[in-house]
Amino acid sequence: LRAGADAAEAVTAERKSLSVSVREGRLEDVENEESRDLGLRVFVGRSQAVVSGSDLSAEARGRLVERAVAMARLAPEDIYAGLAPQDRLFRGKVPDLAQYDPEARTAADLEAAAHAVEQAALENPGVSKSDGGAAGWSSGGWSMVTSDGFEGSHQASIFSLSATMIAGEGAGMERGGEGRATRWLADLPTAAEIGTTAAERTVARLNPRRLDSRTAPVIFENRIATSLLGPLVGAIAGGAVARGVSFLKDRLGQPVFAPGIRITEDPHRLKGLGSVPFDDEGVATVERALIDDGVLTTWLLNVASARQLGLETTGHASRGLAGAPGVATHNLTFQPGPETPDALRRAVVDGLWVTSMFGPSLNANTGDWSVGVSGFWFEKGELAYPVNEITVAGNLLDIYQRIVPASDLEIRGSSNAPSLLVDGLAIAGA
């Protein structure tokens, strides 16, 4: 402010991380990172500039301030730019969301864990060799202050363990794996559990077949079903709606999914990978249903997109250190249905069980969507044989109306879903 800014916002991010990977019993890689960075957003009138740096000395901070104010004076005016309204800011003591485990991991700890998960996977029949085991640990903190008087900080930790295996030989080789990440070390599955799952998934992929092109029921396994939610988040982001580049831009308050479908977010879930007490503009986060009984209830708004749409921010601002805020969700969850995946397979008799997805393509204006997949063909409700090199496609406006959730919701990350059935999708195969 002394340098001439009308308003300002500063954030600092501190991070320590350590990861170790092994392959076939030998240490392959060790990565260690320690960083502390500063981001500064300043406003001169309705113009803004964002700068960042890793030198936090008083002299460097002074230069950063001068550069930011000078840039803001030259920047074009943005009538929607500004700090969050005072009445929307988080106030009071930051709640303990159990995000931070003080347990630290040494390189020796992580190397032992990586060897253990690799060995556990290799002990399973059918695995021909390892493509690696890995273990990691990180901890970090985020602090934010604004010239309007907001001040807040939070910290978090992550522990991870994974294994990737290879089954088969030559042209018939298949690769698969399993990995998990948790806020607390005690919640991480054991090396035996992760290694065994990695091996079983890899071996099950052996001798895949191609499918003839057809239309058939498709069930997306819970581990990857959240891929169907990515386009939804993009389509209800305030910036996309304001620009008119969203296939849902006219659907607020209307049915988008079938009756009974609920997609919620809980930013205050204990130990949640997406939990935050306030968003990256200092706005208090709240639990809400984005989809309630099939109806789209809200856009995802930061301050700028809310002003552009004539609405109020919803507490979804997300930013790094060097750019203006975008939007993000907090512990997005597709609520489960009553039927198990087995029951859904038996109900539709024959179809495609998708276990991996790659290369999605989306027309943001129309909702036309396609993605490469692999998995299993099932017959009479039972998995029959693995399949790969196929593509499924459809329009998300139609797909969302026909999704049926299974009961197997498992909280694995910051976005979670049960297995999801779509009763008929175009499948492009051989």
PDB file of all heavy atoms in Angstrom, residues 121-155:
ATOM      1  N   ALA A 121       4.366 -57.326  -4.172  1.00  0.00           N
ATOM      2  CA  ALA A 121       3.759 -57.514  -5.484  1.00  0.00           C
ATOM      3  C   ALA A 121       4.416 -58.661  -6.242  1.00  0.00           C
ATOM      4  O   ALA A 121       3.738 -59.473  -6.891  1.00  0.00           O
ATOM      5  CB  ALA A 121       3.857 -56.220  -6.293  1.00  0.00           C
ATOM      6  N   LEU A 122       5.744 -58.758  -6.167  1.00  0.00           N
ATOM      7  CA  LEU A 122       6.468 -59.795  -6.906  1.00  0.00           C
ATOM      8  C   LEU A 122       6.171 -61.200  -6.404  1.00  0.00           C
ATOM      9  O   LEU A 122       6.372 -62.174  -7.134  1.00  0.00           O
ATOM     10  CB  LEU A 122       7.978 -59.530  -6.825  1.00  0.00           C
ATOM     11  CG  LEU A 122       8.494 -58.359  -7.665  1.00  0.00           C
ATOM     12  CD1 LEU A 122       9.943 -58.045  -7.303  1.00  0.00           C
ATOM     13  CD2 LEU A 122       8.363 -58.671  -9.156  1.00  0.00           C
ATOM     14  N   GLU A 123       5.699 -61.314  -5.181  1.00  0.00           N
ATOM     15  CA  GLU A 123       5.409 -62.632  -4.624  1.00  0.00           C
ATOM     16  C   GLU A 123       4.144 -63.259  -5.197  1.00  0.00           C
ATOM     17  O   GLU A 123       3.872 -64.439  -4.948  1.00  0.00           O
ATOM     18  CB  GLU A 123       5.283 -62.522  -3.098  1.00  0.00           C
ATOM     19  CG  GLU A 123       6.616 -62.257  -2.409  1.00  0.00           C
ATOM     20  CD  GLU A 123       6.455 -61.987  -0.929  1.00  0.00           C
ATOM     21  OE1 GLU A 123       5.278 -61.905  -0.470  1.00  0.00           O
ATOM     22  OE2 GLU A 123       7.480 -61.856  -0.224  1.00  0.00           O
ATOM     23  N   ASN A 124       3.378 -62.508  -5.974  1.00  0.00           N
ATOM     24  CA  ASN A 124       2.128 -63.023  -6.522  1.00  0.00           C
ATOM     25  C   ASN A 124       2.383 -63.748  -7.842  1.00  0.00           C
ATOM     26  O   ASN A 124       3.132 -63.265  -8.698  1.00  0.00           O
ATOM     27  CB  ASN A 124       1.151 -61.870  -6.755  1.00  0.00           C
ATOM     28  CG  ASN A 124       0.617 -61.320  -5.446  1.00  0.00           C
ATOM     29  OD1 ASN A 124      -0.427 -61.734  -4.968  1.00  0.00           O
ATOM     30  ND2 ASN A 124       1.367 -60.383  -4.849  1.00  0.00           N
ATOM     31  N   PRO A 125       1.770 -64.900  -8.045  1.00  0.00           N
ATOM     32  CA  PRO A 125       1.976 -65.654  -9.284  1.00  0.00           C
ATOM     33  C   PRO A 125       1.468 -64.878 -10.489  1.00  0.00           C
ATOM     34  O   PRO A 125       0.457 -64.176 -10.422  1.00  0.00           O
ATOM     35  CB  PRO A 125       1.164 -66.932  -9.064  1.00  0.00           C
ATOM     36  CG  PRO A 125       0.176 -66.590  -7.999  1.00  0.00           C
ATOM     37  CD  PRO A 125       0.840 -65.589  -7.119  1.00  0.00           C
ATOM     38  N   GLY A 126       2.202 -65.006 -11.594  1.00  0.00           N
ATOM     39  CA  GLY A 126       1.810 -64.352 -12.828  1.00  0.00           C
ATOM     40  C   GLY A 126       2.562 -63.072 -13.113  1.00  0.00           C
ATOM     41  O   GLY A 126       2.629 -62.623 -14.254  1.00  0.00           O
ATOM     42  N   VAL A 127       3.153 -62.459 -12.084  1.00  0.00           N
ATOM     43  CA  VAL A 127       3.954 -61.254 -12.282  1.00  0.00           C
ATOM     44  C   VAL A 127       5.321 -61.669 -12.811  1.00  0.00           C
ATOM     45  O   VAL A 127       5.994 -62.519 -12.224  1.00  0.00           O
ATOM     46  CB  VAL A 127       4.098 -60.470 -10.967  1.00  0.00           C
ATOM     47  CG1 VAL A 127       5.077 -59.314 -11.141  1.00  0.00           C
ATOM     48  CG2 VAL A 127       2.743 -59.949 -10.511  1.00  0.00           C
ATOM     49  N   SER A 128       5.744 -61.073 -13.912  1.00  0.00           N
ATOM     50  CA  SER A 128       7.026 -61.438 -14.505  1.00  0.00           C
ATOM     51  C   SER A 128       8.166 -60.569 -14.009  1.00  0.00           C
ATOM     52  O   SER A 128       9.286 -61.042 -13.820  1.00  0.00           O
ATOM     53  CB  SER A 128       6.947 -61.383 -16.028  1.00  0.00           C
ATOM     54  OG  SER A 128       6.495 -60.124 -16.473  1.00  0.00           O
ATOM     55  N   LYS A 129       7.917 -59.297 -13.795  1.00  0.00           N
ATOM     56  CA  LYS A 129       8.954 -58.422 -13.247  1.00  0.00           C
ATOM     57  C   LYS A 129       8.322 -57.127 -12.749  1.00  0.00           C
ATOM     58  O   LYS A 129       7.144 -56.849 -12.990  1.00  0.00           O
ATOM     59  CB  LYS A 129      10.028 -58.120 -14.285  1.00  0.00           C
ATOM     60  CG  LYS A 129       9.558 -57.456 -15.555  1.00  0.00           C
ATOM     61  CD  LYS A 129      10.755 -57.263 -16.482  1.00  0.00           C
ATOM     62  CE  LYS A 129      10.329 -56.640 -17.804  1.00  0.00           C
ATOM     63  NZ  LYS A 129      11.481 -56.418 -18.698  1.00  0.00           N
ATOM     64  N   SER A 130       9.156 -56.358 -12.061  1.00  0.00           N
ATOM     65  CA  SER A 130       8.683 -55.112 -11.457  1.00  0.00           C
ATOM     66  C   SER A 130       9.004 -53.921 -12.342  1.00  0.00           C
ATOM     67  O   SER A 130      10.070 -53.854 -12.959  1.00  0.00           O
ATOM     68  CB  SER A 130       9.330 -54.914 -10.088  1.00  0.00           C
ATOM     69  OG  SER A 130       9.108 -53.609  -9.613  1.00  0.00           O
ATOM     70  N   ASP A 131       8.081 -52.984 -12.384  1.00  0.00           N
ATOM     71  CA  ASP A 131       8.367 -51.689 -13.001  1.00  0.00           C
ATOM     72  C   ASP A 131       8.595 -50.628 -11.936  1.00  0.00           C
ATOM     73  O   ASP A 131       8.677 -49.444 -12.233  1.00  0.00           O
ATOM     74  CB  ASP A 131       7.189 -51.271 -13.903  1.00  0.00           C
ATOM     75  CG  ASP A 131       7.610 -50.232 -14.918  1.00  0.00           C
ATOM     76  OD1 ASP A 131       8.801 -50.208 -15.298  1.00  0.00           O
ATOM     77  OD2 ASP A 131       6.752 -49.416 -15.328  1.00  0.00           O
ATOM     78  N   GLY A 132       8.637 -51.062 -10.662  1.00  0.00           N
ATOM     79  CA  GLY A 132       9.034 -50.154  -9.607  1.00  0.00           C
ATOM     80  C   GLY A 132       8.085 -50.088  -8.436  1.00  0.00           C
ATOM     81  O   GLY A 132       6.877 -50.273  -8.561  1.00  0.00           O
ATOM     82  N   GLY A 133       8.670 -49.818  -7.271  1.00  0.00           N
ATOM     83  CA  GLY A 133       7.920 -49.482  -6.077  1.00  0.00           C
ATOM     84  C   GLY A 133       8.333 -48.092  -5.645  1.00  0.00           C
ATOM     85  O   GLY A 133       9.485 -47.683  -5.849  1.00  0.00           O
ATOM     86  N   ALA A 134       7.429 -47.330  -5.050  1.00  0.00           N
ATOM     87  CA  ALA A 134       7.740 -45.953  -4.672  1.00  0.00           C
ATOM     88  C   ALA A 134       7.025 -45.598  -3.378  1.00  0.00           C
ATOM     89  O   ALA A 134       5.909 -46.050  -3.115  1.00  0.00           O
ATOM     90  CB  ALA A 134       7.345 -44.987  -5.774  1.00  0.00           C
ATOM     91  N   ALA A 135       7.690 -44.778  -2.587  1.00  0.00           N
ATOM     92  CA  ALA A 135       7.104 -44.261  -1.351  1.00  0.00           C
ATOM     93  C   ALA A 135       7.465 -42.790  -1.234  1.00  0.00           C
ATOM     94  O   ALA A 135       8.548 -42.359  -1.654  1.00  0.00           O
ATOM     95  CB  ALA A 135       7.625 -45.030  -0.141  1.00  0.00           C
ATOM     96  N   GLY A 136       6.544 -42.002  -0.670  1.00  0.00           N
ATOM     97  CA  GLY A 136       6.787 -40.572  -0.567  1.00  0.00           C
ATOM     98  C   GLY A 136       6.176 -39.966   0.676  1.00  0.00           C
ATOM     99  O   GLY A 136       5.280 -40.545   1.310  1.00  0.00           O
ATOM    100  N   TRP A 137       6.682 -38.804   1.035  1.00  0.00           N
ATOM    101  CA  TRP A 137       6.167 -38.033   2.156  1.00  0.00           C
ATOM    102  C   TRP A 137       6.332 -36.555   1.835  1.00  0.00           C
ATOM    103  O   TRP A 137       7.325 -36.148   1.224  1.00  0.00           O
ATOM    104  CB  TRP A 137       6.941 -38.363   3.434  1.00  0.00           C
ATOM    105  CG  TRP A 137       6.789 -37.326   4.529  1.00  0.00           C
ATOM    106  CD1 TRP A 137       5.757 -37.210   5.409  1.00  0.00           C
ATOM    107  CD2 TRP A 137       7.691 -36.249   4.815  1.00  0.00           C
ATOM    108  NE1 TRP A 137       5.966 -36.131   6.246  1.00  0.00           N
ATOM    109  CE2 TRP A 137       7.144 -35.521   5.904  1.00  0.00           C
ATOM    110  CE3 TRP A 137       8.901 -35.827   4.268  1.00  0.00           C
ATOM    111  CZ2 TRP A 137       7.773 -34.403   6.446  1.00  0.00           C
ATOM    112  CZ3 TRP A 137       9.530 -34.710   4.806  1.00  0.00           C
ATOM    113  CH2 TRP A 137       8.965 -34.015   5.883  1.00  0.00           C
ATOM    114  N   SER A 138       5.344 -35.773   2.190  1.00  0.00           N
ATOM    115  CA  SER A 138       5.472 -34.322   2.029  1.00  0.00           C
ATOM    116  C   SER A 138       4.659 -33.627   3.108  1.00  0.00           C
ATOM    117  O   SER A 138       3.687 -34.177   3.636  1.00  0.00           O
ATOM    118  CB  SER A 138       5.007 -33.872   0.642  1.00  0.00           C
ATOM    119  OG  SER A 138       3.607 -34.008   0.498  1.00  0.00           O
ATOM    120  N   SER A 139       5.075 -32.427   3.442  1.00  0.00           N
ATOM    121  CA  SER A 139       4.310 -31.577   4.349  1.00  0.00           C
ATOM    122  C   SER A 139       4.451 -30.146   3.871  1.00  0.00           C
ATOM    123  O   SER A 139       5.461 -29.773   3.270  1.00  0.00           O
ATOM    124  CB  SER A 139       4.794 -31.716   5.794  1.00  0.00           C
ATOM    125  OG  SER A 139       6.089 -31.148   5.944  1.00  0.00           O
ATOM    126  N   GLY A 140       3.430 -29.370   4.108  1.00  0.00           N
ATOM    127  CA  GLY A 140       3.475 -28.000   3.629  1.00  0.00           C
ATOM    128  C   GLY A 140       2.480 -27.117   4.343  1.00  0.00           C
ATOM    129  O   GLY A 140       1.563 -27.597   5.027  1.00  0.00           O
ATOM    130  N   GLY A 141       2.664 -25.823   4.187  1.00  0.00           N
ATOM    131  CA  GLY A 141       1.761 -24.859   4.789  1.00  0.00           C
ATOM    132  C   GLY A 141       1.418 -23.759   3.807  1.00  0.00           C
ATOM    133  O   GLY A 141       2.182 -23.472   2.877  1.00  0.00           O
ATOM    134  N   TRP A 142       0.248 -23.162   3.983  1.00  0.00           N
ATOM    135  CA  TRP A 142      -0.248 -22.092   3.123  1.00  0.00           C
ATOM    136  C   TRP A 142      -0.751 -20.978   4.030  1.00  0.00           C
ATOM    137  O   TRP A 142      -1.561 -21.217   4.922  1.00  0.00           O
ATOM    138  CB  TRP A 142      -1.381 -22.627   2.239  1.00  0.00           C
ATOM    139  CG  TRP A 142      -2.083 -21.611   1.388  1.00  0.00           C
ATOM    140  CD1 TRP A 142      -3.176 -20.863   1.728  1.00  0.00           C
ATOM    141  CD2 TRP A 142      -1.777 -21.248   0.044  1.00  0.00           C
ATOM    142  NE1 TRP A 142      -3.562 -20.056   0.678  1.00  0.00           N
ATOM    143  CE2 TRP A 142      -2.717 -20.269  -0.367  1.00  0.00           C
ATOM    144  CE3 TRP A 142      -0.795 -21.644  -0.863  1.00  0.00           C
ATOM    145  CZ2 TRP A 142      -2.702 -19.690  -1.636  1.00  0.00           C
ATOM    146  CZ3 TRP A 142      -0.784 -21.070  -2.113  1.00  0.00           C
ATOM    147  CH2 TRP A 142      -1.716 -20.112  -2.502  1.00  0.00           C
ATOM    148  N   SER A 143      -0.244 -19.776   3.816  1.00  0.00           N
ATOM    149  CA  SER A 143      -0.673 -18.621   4.604  1.00  0.00           C
ATOM    150  C   SER A 143      -1.085 -17.502   3.675  1.00  0.00           C
ATOM    151  O   SER A 143      -0.512 -17.337   2.584  1.00  0.00           O
ATOM    152  CB  SER A 143       0.460 -18.131   5.519  1.00  0.00           C
ATOM    153  OG  SER A 143       0.831 -19.128   6.435  1.00  0.00           O
ATOM    154  N   MET A 144      -2.066 -16.720   4.098  1.00  0.00           N
ATOM    155  CA  MET A 144      -2.598 -15.656   3.255  1.00  0.00           C
ATOM    156  C   MET A 144      -2.994 -14.459   4.114  1.00  0.00           C
ATOM    157  O   MET A 144      -3.573 -14.615   5.197  1.00  0.00           O
ATOM    158  CB  MET A 144      -3.818 -16.176   2.491  1.00  0.00           C
ATOM    159  CG  MET A 144      -4.506 -15.151   1.630  1.00  0.00           C
ATOM    160  SD  MET A 144      -5.917 -15.897   0.774  1.00  0.00           S
ATOM    161  CE  MET A 144      -6.607 -14.416   0.027  1.00  0.00           C
ATOM    162  N   VAL A 145      -2.658 -13.274   3.652  1.00  0.00           N
ATOM    163  CA  VAL A 145      -3.105 -12.029   4.284  1.00  0.00           C
ATOM    164  C   VAL A 145      -3.572 -11.082   3.187  1.00  0.00           C
ATOM    165  O   VAL A 145      -3.102 -11.150   2.044  1.00  0.00           O
ATOM    166  CB  VAL A 145      -1.989 -11.356   5.111  1.00  0.00           C
ATOM    167  CG1 VAL A 145      -1.578 -12.235   6.273  1.00  0.00           C
ATOM    168  CG2 VAL A 145      -0.789 -11.018   4.236  1.00  0.00           C
ATOM    169  N   THR A 146      -4.520 -10.225   3.523  1.00  0.00           N
ATOM    170  CA  THR A 146      -4.990  -9.206   2.579  1.00  0.00           C
ATOM    171  C   THR A 146      -5.011  -7.846   3.263  1.00  0.00           C
ATOM    172  O   THR A 146      -5.052  -7.745   4.503  1.00  0.00           O
ATOM    173  CB  THR A 146      -6.406  -9.509   2.055  1.00  0.00           C
ATOM    174  OG1 THR A 146      -7.364  -9.229   3.094  1.00  0.00           O
ATOM    175  CG2 THR A 146      -6.538 -10.952   1.599  1.00  0.00           C
ATOM    176  N   SER A 147      -4.994  -6.809   2.455  1.00  0.00           N
ATOM    177  CA  SER A 147      -5.036  -5.455   3.004  1.00  0.00           C
ATOM    178  C   SER A 147      -6.398  -5.118   3.586  1.00  0.00           C
ATOM    179  O   SER A 147      -6.558  -4.084   4.237  1.00  0.00           O
ATOM    180  CB  SER A 147      -4.663  -4.439   1.912  1.00  0.00           C
ATOM    181  OG  SER A 147      -5.534  -4.559   0.796  1.00  0.00           O
ATOM    182  N   ASP A 148      -7.382  -5.970   3.383  1.00  0.00           N
ATOM    183  CA  ASP A 148      -8.700  -5.785   3.999  1.00  0.00           C
ATOM    184  C   ASP A 148      -8.787  -6.389   5.398  1.00  0.00           C
ATOM    185  O   ASP A 148      -9.839  -6.373   6.023  1.00  0.00           O
ATOM    186  CB  ASP A 148      -9.790  -6.418   3.119  1.00  0.00           C
ATOM    187  CG  ASP A 148     -10.237  -5.479   2.010  1.00  0.00           C
ATOM    188  OD1 ASP A 148      -9.729  -4.326   1.973  1.00  0.00           O
ATOM    189  OD2 ASP A 148     -11.071  -5.884   1.189  1.00  0.00           O
ATOM    190  N   GLY A 149      -7.685  -6.980   5.847  1.00  0.00           N
ATOM    191  CA  GLY A 149      -7.662  -7.468   7.212  1.00  0.00           C
ATOM    192  C   GLY A 149      -7.774  -8.967   7.376  1.00  0.00           C
ATOM    193  O   GLY A 149      -7.754  -9.472   8.501  1.00  0.00           O
ATOM    194  N   PHE A 150      -7.873  -9.723   6.273  1.00  0.00           N
ATOM    195  CA  PHE A 150      -7.942 -11.179   6.409  1.00  0.00           C
ATOM    196  C   PHE A 150      -6.562 -11.745   6.679  1.00  0.00           C
ATOM    197  O   PHE A 150      -5.555 -11.322   6.099  1.00  0.00           O
ATOM    198  CB  PHE A 150      -8.496 -11.821   5.137  1.00  0.00           C
ATOM    199  CG  PHE A 150      -8.420 -13.323   5.165  1.00  0.00           C
ATOM    200  CD1 PHE A 150      -9.381 -14.063   5.831  1.00  0.00           C
ATOM    201  CD2 PHE A 150      -7.363 -13.995   4.562  1.00  0.00           C
ATOM    202  CE1 PHE A 150      -9.306 -15.448   5.889  1.00  0.00           C
ATOM    203  CE2 PHE A 150      -7.278 -15.376   4.603  1.00  0.00           C
ATOM    204  CZ  PHE A 150      -8.257 -16.102   5.267  1.00  0.00           C
ATOM    205  N   GLU A 151      -6.511 -12.737   7.556  1.00  0.00           N
ATOM    206  CA  GLU A 151      -5.276 -13.467   7.804  1.00  0.00           C
ATOM    207  C   GLU A 151      -5.627 -14.901   8.165  1.00  0.00           C
ATOM    208  O   GLU A 151      -6.459 -15.143   9.035  1.00  0.00           O
ATOM    209  CB  GLU A 151      -4.486 -12.820   8.947  1.00  0.00           C
ATOM    210  CG  GLU A 151      -3.178 -13.525   9.250  1.00  0.00           C
ATOM    211  CD  GLU A 151      -2.361 -12.806  10.314  1.00  0.00           C
ATOM    212  OE1 GLU A 151      -2.691 -11.648  10.636  1.00  0.00           O
ATOM    213  OE2 GLU A 151      -1.401 -13.421  10.819  1.00  0.00           O
ATOM    214  N   GLY A 152      -5.025 -15.853   7.482  1.00  0.00           N
ATOM    215  CA  GLY A 152      -5.318 -17.249   7.760  1.00  0.00           C
ATOM    216  C   GLY A 152      -4.218 -18.153   7.246  1.00  0.00           C
ATOM    217  O   GLY A 152      -3.475 -17.797   6.326  1.00  0.00           O
ATOM    218  N   SER A 153      -4.106 -19.328   7.840  1.00  0.00           N
ATOM    219  CA  SER A 153      -3.108 -20.298   7.391  1.00  0.00           C
ATOM    220  C   SER A 153      -3.582 -21.702   7.727  1.00  0.00           C
ATOM    221  O   SER A 153      -4.409 -21.901   8.616  1.00  0.00           O
ATOM    222  CB  SER A 153      -1.743 -20.036   8.043  1.00  0.00           C
ATOM    223  OG  SER A 153      -1.829 -20.186   9.444  1.00  0.00           O
ATOM    224  N   HIS A 154      -3.064 -22.667   6.992  1.00  0.00           N
ATOM    225  CA  HIS A 154      -3.324 -24.072   7.287  1.00  0.00           C
ATOM    226  C   HIS A 154      -2.162 -24.899   6.780  1.00  0.00           C
ATOM    227  O   HIS A 154      -1.408 -24.466   5.900  1.00  0.00           O
ATOM    228  CB  HIS A 154      -4.656 -24.540   6.686  1.00  0.00           C
ATOM    229  CG  HIS A 154      -4.836 -24.265   5.225  1.00  0.00           C
ATOM    230  ND1 HIS A 154      -4.350 -25.101   4.248  1.00  0.00           N
ATOM    231  CD2 HIS A 154      -5.441 -23.242   4.573  1.00  0.00           C
ATOM    232  CE1 HIS A 154      -4.660 -24.616   3.059  1.00  0.00           C
ATOM    233  NE2 HIS A 154      -5.315 -23.485   3.219  1.00  0.00           N
ATOM    234  N   GLN A 155      -2.005 -26.096   7.308  1.00  0.00           N
ATOM    235  CA  GLN A 155      -0.920 -26.971   6.885  1.00  0.00           C
ATOM    236  C   GLN A 155      -1.445 -28.388   6.705  1.00  0.00           C
ATOM    237  O   GLN A 155      -2.498 -28.756   7.238  1.00  0.00           O
ATOM    238  CB  GLN A 155       0.234 -26.942   7.884  1.00  0.00           C
ATOM    239  CG  GLN A 155      -0.108 -27.441   9.269  1.00  0.00           C
ATOM    240  CD  GLN A 155       1.072 -27.370  10.226  1.00  0.00           C
ATOM    241  OE1 GLN A 155       0.891 -27.142  11.411  1.00  0.00           O
ATOM    242  NE2 GLN A 155       2.283 -27.575   9.735  1.00  0.00           N
TER     243      GLN A 155
END
